[in-house]
Every structure is written in C-alpha cells, then in structure tokens.
Amino acid sequence: MQTTYIMIKPDGVQRGLVGEVITRFENKGLRLVGLKQIIPSNEIAEAHYAVHKERPFYSGLIDFITSGPVVAMAWTGVEAIKVARNLIGPTNGREAAPGTIRGDFAMDIGHNIIHGSDGEETAKYELELWFPDGIAEWQRDAESQIYE
Ligand code: IDP
Ligand code: MG
C-alpha cells in the first residue's frame, strides 16, 4: 500500500472540477484518507515546489498556486503513486490523452488542474508538508472487493 499526495490546483477549484476529480479517484478504487481546502501561503507553496526553484516558470507557478483555494488530498492504494499519475496524465494538457484528467480538462502546461506526487520520497515529503497533523487511518469494508 502507498499513500500519495494529490492536490486540485486553483484552476480546478475555480472551474468547479473538485467533484469530478474526486469521483475519478473514488471510481478507480483508491481510498480517501485526507481532504481539506486551503489557500496556500507563499511559504508552503515554495516548500512544495522547491525542486523547481531554478526553473524559469517557478515564480509564475508560485503566484498561480497561491492565487486561490486548492483541495489537498491523500489517497491510499496498491501502487497509489503510479495509479494516480496515470489518472492525471502528462504535464501538458494539450498532449495528455483523452481519458486522463489533464487530457479531458486542461489546455495548458501550467494550468493543468491537478498535482500528484511523483515518487515515494516526494509523497512522504508532500504529505508531511500539507498534512502536518497526519491523515485518517481507516479500513474500508469494500477493500476485499477491490483487491484479490
Ligand atoms: P507534473 O505536475 O506533471 O509532475 P512538473 O514537471 O513536476 O510536472 O512541474 C510541476 C508543475 O509546474 C506542473 O504541473 C505545471 O503546473 C508547472 N510547469 C511545469 N512546466 C512548466 C512550464 O514549462 N511552464 C509553466 N508551468 C510549468
Ligand atoms: Mg512533478
């Protein structure tokens, strides 16, 4: 089991795609273990995107992610990090395949609706950053229907 950090970015919230995105994750079989809506501070946005600090798009990215509410989530499942990245699709919405979240809803590389952790270490870092008080530990009755 893995837990991954997923965040609906300000464009996804402003466009009313919160329910749509959550439904896709639920339908897939991932288990929701953390959820909150917040307007990110500069501090948390800079910590989240620290790896991109030297990139030319960095300051625009910080401005964007702090421009309004985001929906911060934690989702658990077998290989949840990869499963979520596959649901999300590649960074550039114009190149993302239909059927993926970015492929279905995004036309831009920066405004691309959603973030998903890209590896185990990143997931741990991001979950601790956005959910410093921890996440819900619960077992789902339907788990035995989802996994063999
Ligand atoms: P990812 O979200 O698909 O993992 P990353 O390369 O980690 O993509 O970039 C993080 C975020 O930075 C992207 O989701 C996107 O919002 C933004 N971004 C990445 N590359 C560009 C760019 O070339 N121009 C503008 N924004 C970018
Ligand atoms: Mg990334």
Side-chain angles (χ1 to χ4, degrees):
M1 284 283 174
Q2 285 179 336
T3 301
T4 186
Y5 177 67
I6 300 297
M7 177 167 67
I8 305 174
K9 297 180 181 183
D11 56 334
V13 176
Q14 294 282 358
R15 290 175 55 191
L17 294 172
V18 173
E20 171 74 39
V21 168
I22 289 176
T23 295
R24 287 177 180 226
F25 279 75
E26 284 187 326
N27 285 350
K28 180 64 177 169
L30 290 161
R31 174 159 46 101
L32 184 62
V33 294
L35 174 73
K36 63 181 174 185
Q37 176 169 289
I38 58 169
I39 300 178
S41 62
N42 267 297
E43 192 186 12
I44 198 167
E46 285 170 8
H48 177 79
Y49 282 125
V51 66
H52 295 305
K53 203 169 175 47
E54 306 305 327
R55 307 286 284 278
F57 57 82
Y58 176 74
S59 71
L61 180 57
I62 298 302
D63 287 348
F64 168 53
I65 222 72
T66 57
S67 68
V70 300
V71 172
M73 298 181 283
W75 288 89
T76 294
V78 172
E79 296 188 274
I81 295 167
K82 187 173 74 186
V83 169
R85 296 274 294 186
N86 287 341
L87 288 176
I88 290 168
T91 311
N92 186 339
R94 292 194 297 280
E95 287 165 13
T100 65
I101 292 166
R102 286 167 173 168
D104 286 348
F105 300 111
M107 282 292 283
D108 198 58
I109 189 165
H111 291 193
N112 59 7
I113 309 291
I114 184 167
H115 165 86
S117 305
D118 64 6
E120 275 186 83
E121 276 183 25
T122 324
K124 186 173 183 296
Y125 173 79
E126 293 171 353
L127 288 166
E128 283 172 7
L129 179 68
W130 293 91
F131 292 99
D133 299 327
I135 53 177
E137 299 293 342
W138 68 286
Q139 288 305 317
R140 180 172 46 185
D141 294 344
E143 209 81 349
S144 65
Q145 302 300 326
I146 287 170
Y147 300 109
E148 273 186 52

